[in-house]
């Protein structure tokens, strides 16, 4: 615990930047219109694909006795993969909503026409 406090004391500016980045990210994301949600989700999926590749590279370069790097790399691969798969599932469900409306409209036109 003491080493963490010492690190924060030595790098206080970095801690301020991280905290301000979190607040800025929340503000930016909360103001995104729903029309842009799907394209932004696709971009986030691509970014997390890069994170997965980087984590695999880090795990491959780490020495076998460096358990910290291996665990962090493994967690990065797992979390990145969950985010990519979840993003594709959400995007697919959103696109299915639009396809369903079109199919229902086509079925109603065929019944009436």
């Amino acid at each position: 615990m003491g080493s963490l406090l010492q690190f924060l004391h030595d790098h206080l500016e970095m801690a301020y930047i991280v905290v301000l980045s979190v607040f800025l990210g929340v503000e930016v994301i909360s103001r995104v219109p729903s029309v842009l949600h799907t394209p932004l989700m696709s971009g986030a999926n691509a970014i997390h694909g890069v994170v997965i590749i980087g984590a695999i590279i880090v795990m491959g370069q780490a020495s076998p006795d460096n358990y910290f790097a291996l665990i962090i790399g493994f967690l990065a691969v797992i979390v990145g993969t969950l985010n990519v798969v979840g993003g594709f599932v959400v995007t697919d469900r959103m696109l299915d909503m639009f396809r369903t409306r079109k199919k229902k409209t086509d079925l109603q036109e065929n019944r009436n026409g």
Side-chain angles (χ1 to χ4, degrees):
M1 182 72 173
S3 63
L4 177 65
L5 293 176
Q6 183 63 36
F7 177 81
L8 286 175
H9 183 267
D10 293 342
H11 299 92
L12 194 57
E13 296 87 14
M14 188 170 42
Y16 287 144
I17 290 172
V18 169
V19 170
L20 289 175
S21 297
V22 168
F23 285 120
L24 179 66
V26 168
E27 281 299 312
V28 168
I29 290 172
S30 66
R31 300 191 190 279
V32 170
S34 59
V35 174
L36 294 177
H37 182 267
T38 302
L40 290 175
M41 181 67 80
S42 298
N45 286 339
I47 291 169
H48 280 94
V50 172
V51 169
I52 293 169
I53 299 293
I56 292 171
I57 291 171
V58 167
M59 286 174 49
Q61 296 294 322
S63 64
D65 59 340
N66 189 354
Y67 295 116
F68 181 73
L70 293 174
I71 290 171
I72 294 296
F74 179 75
L75 289 176
V77 169
I78 296 297
V79 172
T81 303
L82 288 174
N83 203 352
V84 168
V85 171
F88 282 122
V89 167
V90 168
T91 302
D92 190 49
R93 287 188 71 192
M94 288 180 69
L95 293 175
D96 279 345
M97 289 188 327
F98 293 112
R99 288 185 203 127
T100 303
R101 287 183 186 169
K102 185 176 180 182
K103 286 180 184 176
K104 285 181 182 177
T105 305
D106 290 341
L107 288 174
Q108 289 174 352
E109 288 177 4
N110 290 337
R111 288 180 187 166
N112 295 334

